[in-house]
Amino acid sequence: MHLLCTSPIKENWAEELTALGATVTTLEFDGTFEAADDAKFDGAMITSEAFKLYFQGGMSALSVPYDALSALVRSGHVAWVHVCASGLDVPVFFPLMRACHETGTTLTHCPGVYGIPIAQYCIGHMLSVCRMIPQHAINQASRKCATTTQTRPSGRLRNDMARFHGRYESLVQRDIRTCTVGIVGAGGIGAELAKLSKAFGMGTIGWRRNAAPAPNYDEMLSGPDGLDRLLSA
C-alpha cells in the first residue's frame, strides 16, 4: 500500500504503518512531494494540520495542497482520497471533490468525528465560567486565598488561610445545575453536548430547521420564532 499524506502521519504512526505494510510519501504543504512522475498512490489524505495554512496565509495558502492533490486525482495517480473533516461544505474541498466525482475516485470523510471533543470543550468552558477557574488561577499565581460562599473556613482550611496574611477573597460561584444550555444546530456535536449537559444536571433546549423530539433535549424548536425563544430563555 502506497499512501500520500501530509504530516504528521508518517512521523507519528510509523510503527502502525509498517505493521500494515504501508509506505508513506509526504505531501508537503507547498504541494510538492518526492516521488517518480508515474508514481501511483492507493490512498491520499491531507491532515487537519494543513488548516494552519489558513491562519498563515489565508484561503489561497490553504488551497495549495488541495489543488496539488486535485491535479493528481485528475491525472489518475490516486485511487482513494480521504478528507479529514466531518462535513464537506467547505469551499476549499470543492475542487478535490469535483476531481474525484469526474474521475470516479473513491472519496471518504469522517462525519461525527468532532462530536465528543467539541462537546467536552464546551462543557469545559461552561465549568470554567461557572466555577471561575480563570480567577482561581490568578489568585493561585498571586498567592491569594480564595474560596466560595459555599465553603466554610474551618479546621485545616482555617489554618491554611492564616498563611495568606489577610489576602483572602470570596468568589461567588454558580452551580452549573442552575443553567440551561441552548444549542443552535442540534446535529452530531449538539447531540453529544446535550448528553453531557444532562449528565451535569443542566436544562437543554435545541434548535434546528426541522423540529422533532431528540434524546437529552427538554425541548426542540425550529423557525425564526423558535430561535428567538431559545435566545431569550
Side-chain angles (χ1 to χ4, degrees):
M1 182 188 300
H2 190 189
L3 304 175
L4 179 68
C5 305
T6 56
S7 63
I9 296 296
K10 187 175 183 179
E11 298 87 344
N12 290 0
W13 287 279
E15 292 185 7
E16 292 84 351
L17 291 165
T18 299
L20 291 172
T23 59
V24 176
T25 295
T26 298
L27 174 62
E28 304 295 344
F29 293 128
D30 63 2
T32 62
F33 59 93
E34 295 184 3
D37 292 339
D38 59 349
K40 300 285 186 179
F41 300 99
D42 298 294
M45 180 178 75
I46 297 175
T47 61
S48 58
E49 187 75 9
F51 295 149
K52 68 181 182 182
L53 297 174
Y54 176 80
F55 298 98
Q56 295 172 352
M59 190 62 72
S60 60
L62 178 58
S63 297
V64 171
Y66 285 97
D67 289 344
L69 183 53
S70 298
L72 287 171
V73 170
R74 290 187 182 281
S75 61
H77 288 265
V78 180
W80 163 51
V81 172
H82 182 72
V83 176
C84 189
S86 58
L88 297 176
D89 54 344
V90 182
V92 73
F93 299 152
F94 294 170
L96 180 57
M97 294 165 59
R98 188 177 299 111
C100 290
H101 176 72
E102 293 175 354
T103 59
T105 302
T106 299
L107 175 68
T108 58
H109 66 126
C110 38
V113 69
Y114 295 117
I116 291 175
I118 297 300
Q120 292 178 355
Y121 177 84
C122 292
I123 288 291
H125 275 283
M126 293 179 199
L127 289 170
S128 179
V129 170
C130 289
R131 289 301 173 183
M132 303 180 72
I133 302 302
Q135 187 60 49
H136 279 297
I138 292 172
N139 290 342
Q140 184 180 39
S142 62
R143 297 185 62 80
K144 179 188 292 184
C145 180
T147 185
T148 75
T149 56
Q150 302 171 20
T151 303
R152 296 181 179 178
S154 60
R156 181 178 177 181
L157 176 59
R158 182 169 57 241
N159 295 331
D160 289 343
M161 286 169 58
R163 296 186 293 107
F164 289 87
H165 306 294
R167 291 179 295 168
Y168 171 82
E169 178 184 356
S170 179
L171 299 180
V172 181
Q173 302 179 26
R174 184 174 182 180
D175 188 336
I176 199 170
R177 294 172 299 177
T178 67
C179 300
T180 296
V181 180
I183 300 174
V184 178
I189 294 175
E192 189 65 30
L193 178 56
K195 182 172 70 174
L196 293 182
S197 297
K198 295 305 291 184
F200 276 92
M202 304 169 72
T204 54
I205 301 175
W207 182 95
R208 60 187 179 192
R209 285 189 296 268
N210 299 308
N216 299 307
Y217 285 98
D218 297 325
E219 188 175 8
M220 184 65 70
L221 305 172
S222 65
D225 292 341
L227 183 59
D228 289 341
R229 182 176 171 187
L230 182 148
L231 295 177
S232 62

